[in-house]
Amino acid sequence: NAGVMQNPRHLVRRRGQEARLRCSPVKGHSHVYWYRQLPEEGLKFMVYLQKENIIDESGMPKERFSAEFPKEGPSILRIQQVVRGDSAAYFCASSPTYINVGTNEKLFFGSGTQLSVL
Amino acid sequence: DQQVKQNSPSLSVQEGRISILNCDYTNSMFDYFLWYKKYPAEGPTFLISISSIKDKNEDGRFTVFLNKSAKHLSLHIVPSQPGDSAVYFCAASRNRDDKIIFGKGTRLHILP
């Protein structure tokens, strides 16, 4: 009964390289969220996906960042041409349904991927 | 635009005493509130939640209070234990909007 699995735990990239972060949600969960935590900051919402669909990407930077959640396989957060400012902890979370009043639904988080850009 | 604010970056409390963590929000459309706890090098874990139709929810040593008119909620931990030392995030969401907005967190230190 695995929880949210993120890999790798640590990722080191040089400026200009690509970073690919993977997230396998809790089995049976069809909703995935990506958050970013910069040093000394809270969790910033990036994107919300359901299977094969991006529902809300209002927190995603307009360039270089993309996310997908294919029908089969993990969700991927991709950062192209990384810069030092992309260094952060990236957390994935999943839920079975909408987070909705009265349902007591909640997000289940993975342990995160710490991205370091040299 | 910080919609969920935790104005105390850190808090130190003696073991056995009550810990009170505060949170303010600006968006009056929020109607579901959650607290998460985070240890270093781990993801946040859900602690307790409350919907806007209630003003209090209790679960063991943890109680969350909601004051809608003041747009304020608080988390009470009593008695505080060493294992409670962690970062606590306040979070909120709107009905029919599935995005959960988090505050910056408060680091709680339980002193022996």
Side-chain angles (χ1 to χ4, degrees):
Chain A
N1 190 17
V4 177
M5 303 299 291
Q6 288 188 250
N7 66 82
R9 286 297 306 271
H10 301 275
L11 181 61
V12 179
R13 285 288 178 266
R14 296 191 181 280
R15 280 180 295 172
Q17 291 184 319
E18 178 180 285
R20 290 171 69 89
L21 288 66
R22 293 176 185 77
C23 169
S24 296
V26 173
K27 188 175 181 181
H29 285 192
S30 57
H31 298 240
V32 164
Y33 305 74
W34 284 93
Y35 286 82
R36 175 165 67 173
Q37 185 179 23
L38 293 165
E40 306 304 320
E41 294 286 325
L43 295 160
K44 296 282 190 184
F45 168 80
M46 298 183 74
V47 62
Y48 161 41
L49 311 103
Q50 293 179 31
K51 282 286 186 182
E52 300 185 278
N53 290 307
I54 296 175
I55 305 302
D56 183 345
E57 56 181 348
S58 58
M60 288 277 271
K62 299 298 181 196
E63 297 176 346
R64 303 186 297 108
F65 285 71
S66 63
E68 61 176 10
F69 188 19
K71 187 176 180 181
E72 300 291 338
S75 176
I76 305 288
L77 178 68
R78 186 164 70 154
I79 311 172
Q80 295 177 298
Q81 300 175 336
V82 296
V83 301
R84 289 228 172 98
D86 297 333
S87 296
Y90 291 82
F91 291 97
C92 171
S94 73
S95 69
T97 64
Y98 293 117
I99 301 295
N100 206 338
V101 171
T103 65
N104 289 322
E105 290 297 351
K106 49 190 174 286
L107 296 178
F108 295 83
F109 280 86
S111 296
T113 293
Q114 182 64 51
L115 172 65
S116 299
V117 179
L118 304 178
Chain B
D1 179 22
Q2 195 78 22
Q3 297 186 66
V4 178
K5 300 178 183 180
Q6 293 179 258
N7 292 321
S8 297
S10 66
L11 175 68
S12 295
V13 173
Q14 206 76 33
E15 182 180 354
R17 298 287 186 103
I18 183 170
S19 295
I20 300 176
L21 295 95
N22 293 303
C23 177
D24 298 292
Y25 60 95
T26 58
N27 191 336
S28 57
M29 300 297 289
F30 286 147
D31 50 19
Y32 187 48
F33 305 89
L34 312 94
W35 285 93
Y36 279 78
K37 176 179 177 179
K38 185 182 182 301
Y39 293 118
E42 294 183 12
T45 55
F46 172 78
L47 200 55
I48 193 168
S49 65
I50 188 168
S51 73
S52 58
I53 60 174
K54 295 185 177 181
D55 54 21
K56 177 183 175 181
N57 189 25
E58 190 173 351
D59 184 1
R61 297 186 297 114
F62 303 92
T63 304
V64 56
F65 295 91
L66 175 62
N67 182 334
K68 289 187 292 291
S69 60
K71 295 192 181 72
H72 177 84
L73 63 154
S74 61
L75 174 68
H76 293 213
I77 307 172
V78 55
S80 299
Q81 298 175 355
D84 296 331
S85 294
V87 176
Y88 289 79
F89 289 100
C90 173
S93 71
R94 300 185 310 180
N95 197 12
R96 301 189 188 88
D97 183 318
D98 306 308
K99 185 168 57 185
I100 292 187
I101 306 296
F102 285 81
K104 290 190 176 185
T106 296
R107 186 177 301 277
L108 177 64
H109 300 271
I110 303 302
L111 306 171

